[in-house]
Amino acid sequence: MINSLTQLVEDFRTGSITVEDYLNIIEGRFDQFEPLIHAFLPETNRFRRLHLELVELVKKYPNPNRRPPLFGIPVGIKDLFHVDGFETRAGSKLPPEVLKGEEGAVIKMLKDAGALILGKTVTTEFAYFAPGPTRNPLNLNHTPGGSSSGSAAAVAAGLTPLAFGTQTIGSVIRPAAYCGVVGFKPSQGRVSTSGIISLAPSLDQVGIFTSNVESAEFAASIICKDWDYRINSESFKLAIPEGPYLSKSNKETLEHFKNVCKKISDSGFDIIQIPMMNNFEEIVEHNNNLIAAEAAVFHKDWFREYSNLYHSKTLELILGGQAIQSTEIDKSRHCCTKLRDEIMRLMVMHNVDAILSPSTTGIAPFGLESTGDPVMNLPWTYAGLPVINIPFEILVGSNLPLGLQVIGEYWGDVELIEIASKIEKTVFF
């Protein structure tokens, strides 16, 4: 099964496989796996639509040598993004006509790059904690994580080589880790969030799911601002954040993390420990306050009319956010910048290129009632830093993976991808 985006792009270019044949392969996988996984929102005649869209795409780009970079690539889109021709439900029971909006910049970029919209992927309600029906493809009895549940599961199951999600706390990195795929969240502000139903506008960030780092870089180069160079450094210095933050992972995960850091060090990377975020509980509190307050504002009009249709978890978030004072909101926003500045100061002081940590507290939890704890992702998203998950180990017994989280400097996305690529190739391949 072809699952690497970059390999598929090359095969389409050389004619090793046609887009039409690949769509037929994907259709077969949908028939086999989608009824078990529920990664996508249901759609009648999905593949008939895609074949018709492919005909129009070929008419638009008849010369194979002049086709755009994602020509014919089927892409899964989290159901928070507005896409022309598709309803937006945002994992909720609210009427879709109420939620409709204009297509945003990312979707336009993907279409301009020749991508085919495979369909909408399942999200938790409004990207918060109320889970949808999606199951983890690696173990159907476990959660795929959230809130970008369907996007992570779709890539893991080989239903698509590329999917998009959003992250406000850990909604890209956590499901990527749980499902054993690469998840990349660029720096805050590097990718437009226009045309996306928001949870907390100050923190919402677009993310990418692929099967490997090279594919994530290829997709990022299309949607990220100023992605026009590569860092070809031979050596990088990495750091482990010492302090209360790491204690949030369970003992087994920390042991595996320690082992993988040793492998990375043995492969030639310089790794040091840096005391960091001693006020971690305060950071968590400010993050949660900001999300609740901004969610309450964003949902104000909908909530007034349709509060009875919200899931209890989202309802609790919004009601809590309504009670937060403006002074607390300002303080929480200031804490974002303060945290970013402090992390950047430490990285510069110690000449560190990236930070390493576990992507999650442990493997994907059993059952579908919870999407797991995003606490390991929280400070990096709150600070707006670029982050990538690299799957590094499948645990015997559960058949579920652990992920390595690599965090870069603010706006240092290109260098972060270079570091992640080198780790992936030297340590895991």
Side-chain angles (χ1 to χ4, degrees), residues 52 67 71 90 97 101-102 112 129 175-176 182 186 252 344 354 375 382 401:
L52 290 173
R67 286 172 176 169
F71 179 88
E97 59 269 19
E102 292 187 8
D112 288 345
F129 285 117
V182 168
E252 183 183 24
M344 292 288 290
V375 69
Y382 187 49

Side-chain angles (χ1 to χ4, degrees), residues 319-330:
L319 290 174
Q322 291 174 348
I324 297 174
Q325 301 297 314
S326 59
T327 54
E328 283 300 311
I329 298 172
D330 291 341

